[in-house]
Amino acid sequence: MSVFLARSAGLALLALTALSACKDEQTKVAEAAARIAQRTQVLAPDDVQIVSTDGRTALEIIGDSVHVFHENSTIRVPATHIENVRYADGRLRFDIKGIGMKMFEVGDGTEGATFRQADALQFVAVVLDRQNQIEMAGKTP
């Protein structure tokens, strides 16, 4: 009986190997997408993700952190490090404490990433809300 099981297991392994060697492109793409999805951070209902109108910059608020994604860089900071966050004159602007960086306030204020008004206002509101929640909880990340 054990010889039969060993042969069956060997045949099953051989069949799986043959099937995986013959994967079509659609299966390979689906598997690659699944691997990416496993590494992707899932947004909670109160989290926010916005993308600039040109698609080159994205902002996320996940939990108590703010993530800024540019083409070649990513900045992750606690929400409490975001200062002077505002939407004015059609522009989203904020500073990042500790980095000395002014985001989206370049030159005369007409350069840099632009966001839809509704997205920018939502970002401002959620950042301020997270900062208030952190302050009320008495924790500073």
Side-chain angles (χ1 to χ4, degrees), residues 3-4 6 12 36-37 44 54 58 85 98 137:
V3 173
F4 175 74
I36 291 168
D54 65 3
V85 62

Side-chain angles (χ1 to χ4, degrees), residues 58-115:
L59 302 173
E60 290 180 343
I61 306 167
I62 298 178
D64 61 1
S65 298
V66 175
H67 306 179
V68 180
F69 300 95
H70 291 293
E71 287 180 284
N72 297 316
S73 66
T74 301
I75 301 168
R76 290 184 170 102
V77 297
T80 55
H81 283 53
I82 302 297
E83 298 178 323
N84 305 314
V85 62
R86 66 202 176 281
Y87 180 75
D89 302 321
R91 295 284 179 175
L92 175 63
R93 296 181 170 100
F94 59 90
D95 304 331
I96 300 176
K97 178 174 43 179
I99 298 179
M101 178 177 252
K102 293 188 178 294
M103 298 301 296
F104 316 118
E105 194 162 6
V106 181
D108 62 2
T110 60
E111 299 175 33
T114 58
F115 297 86

Side-chain angles (χ1 to χ4, degrees), residues 10 16 21 32 39 42 46 54 56 63 65 67 77 84 94 107 125 130 135 137 139:
L16 283 173
R39 292 189 310 261
V42 178
D46 295 339
D54 65 3
R56 297 172 69 185
S65 298
H67 306 179
V77 297
N84 305 314
F94 59 90
R130 295 295 161 86
E135 185 177 313
K139 62 178 184 176

Side-chain angles (χ1 to χ4, degrees), residues 46-47 61 63-64 79-80 125-141:
D46 295 339
D47 293 339
I61 306 167
D64 61 1
T80 55
V126 173
V127 166
L128 294 174
D129 182 60
R130 295 295 161 86
Q131 290 174 339
N132 288 332
Q133 288 175 12
I134 292 166
E135 185 177 313
M136 291 181 78
K139 62 178 184 176
T140 53

